[in-house]
Amino acid sequence: MSLKVYINGEFFDKENAKISVFDHGFLYGDGVFEGIRSYSGKIFRHREHIDRLYDSAAAIALTIPMTKEDLMAAVEETLKINGLSDAYIRLVVSRGMGDLGLDPNKCEKPSIIIITDAISLYPQELYENGLDIVTASTIRVSPAALSPRIKSLNYLNNILAKIEGDRAGCKEALMLNHKGEVAECTGDNVFIIRREEIFTPSIEAGVLEGITRNAVIELARNAGYTVHEMPLTRFDVYIADECFLTGTAAEIIPVVTIDSRKIGTGRPGPFTKELIAKFHTITGK
Ligand code: PMP
């Protein structure tokens, strides 16, 4: 059976799941999206993802022509129709079809697209041995220009950093912000551990407020750990005992070197391992 894709209330076979070349999502990256996971048929933090999507949309003055409840039901239905229980779900809302000009008012109706797919995690070996990352020279877009809290269809800033990481032989790259502080990686939030306390850049550093980031902060605090959301620099990462990244697709993945320097012992540390185990208890994996 071919994979079914939801477009504006209808299901299409993967081969026929198409949108117009006049869609401003395509022409200008004018739109927002979410990457969501389901574990054993249960969507992880569904409401948080939907809330973030509507916030991203509000920030770009895009009105999603559906209630949150109806959109959540459409996501559930797309999963069900595809017979998937452990899946990655891509929810996209673009400005819709317009003319070749920028004017979003010429776009009559936003396009709503739901794509489900198998999960593509990092290879298991990297969860056991950790990732090598580099600091990219491409800085994160300044929140004064365009807030990285908006999960928009324009990922060029991250893609440029991703290319740098790739050329250095790394699967992720650390991005600094316009002030030279640590922001996040190209598709993941970043955490460090130092003297048994956990640190992550605050949202004001200009980062996406990751759903996984928030889940990890919550579970770490519930386990009695101190979590600081504060400005961090590369210095802090270089002297950290442990480092890990969080994201919907990656979950929690250890980082063992940055810029060819070992972090801590150069092996995934005990705190990271404990948080990974705790995270699995909340996803039920
Ligand atoms: N930062 C960026 C830039 C991202 O694109 C993502 C999502 N892939 C994340 C962080 C992690 O966010 P979440 O935990 O909500 O997936």
Side-chain angles (χ1 to χ4, degrees), residues 33-36 49 52 88 90 140 148 151 155 158 172 175 184-190 207-214 246-251:
F33 77 101
E34 279 299 317
I36 312 175
H49 280 286
R52 187 172 67 181
Y88 180 81
R90 174 59 54 90
R140 194 75 177 94
K151 200 164 167 59
Y155 253 55
N158 313 57
E172 253 299 9
M175 299 183 78
E184 60 185 332
C185 285
T186 68
D188 297 303
N189 291 111
V190 61
V207 302
L208 182 75
E209 189 173 356
I211 307 287
T212 321
R213 171 190 184 276
N214 288 350
T246 64
T248 292
E251 301 179 332

Side-chain angles (χ1 to χ4, degrees), residues 64-78:
I64 301 177
M66 242 174 135
T67 64
K68 288 185 179 181
E69 287 66 32
D70 287 348
L71 189 51
M72 286 170 83
V75 171
E76 300 273 5
E77 194 188 352
T78 310

Side-chain angles (χ1 to χ4, degrees), residues 29-33 56 60 146-155 208:
D30 186 357
V32 294
F33 77 101
S56 293
I60 65 163
L146 178 68
S147 177
R149 295 182 70 178
I150 303 170
K151 200 164 167 59
S152 87
L153 291 183
N154 194 319
Y155 253 55
L208 182 75

Side-chain angles (χ1 to χ4, degrees), residues 36-109:
I36 312 175
R37 278 285 289 275
S38 74
Y39 295 91
S40 309
K42 191 170 177 330
I43 297 172
F44 184 68
R45 304 224 159 182
H46 199 177
R47 187 75 202 192
E48 278 99 320
H49 280 286
I50 297 293
D51 285 345
R52 187 172 67 181
L53 181 79
Y54 278 75
D55 287 346
S56 293
I60 65 163
L62 171 65
T63 306
I64 301 177
M66 242 174 135
T67 64
K68 288 185 179 181
E69 287 66 32
D70 287 348
L71 189 51
M72 286 170 83
V75 171
E76 300 273 5
E77 194 188 352
T78 310
L79 259 189
K80 214 159 150 204
I81 235 170
N82 284 294
L84 290 165
S85 60
D86 289 291
Y88 180 81
I89 303 152
R90 174 59 54 90
L91 176 51
V92 182
V93 183
S94 77
R95 189 77 64 179
M97 253 172 85
D99 63 17
L100 292 181
L102 282 180
D103 191 356
N105 294 321
K106 301 257 173 72
C107 305
E108 268 179 25
K109 191 169 75 66

Side-chain angles (χ1 to χ4, degrees), residues 136-142 157 161 164 175-180:
S137 64
T138 304
I139 60 166
R140 194 75 177 94
V141 72
S142 164
N157 180 221
E164 287 187 59
M175 299 183 78
L176 307 179
N177 69 13
H178 56 295
K179 294 191 267 186

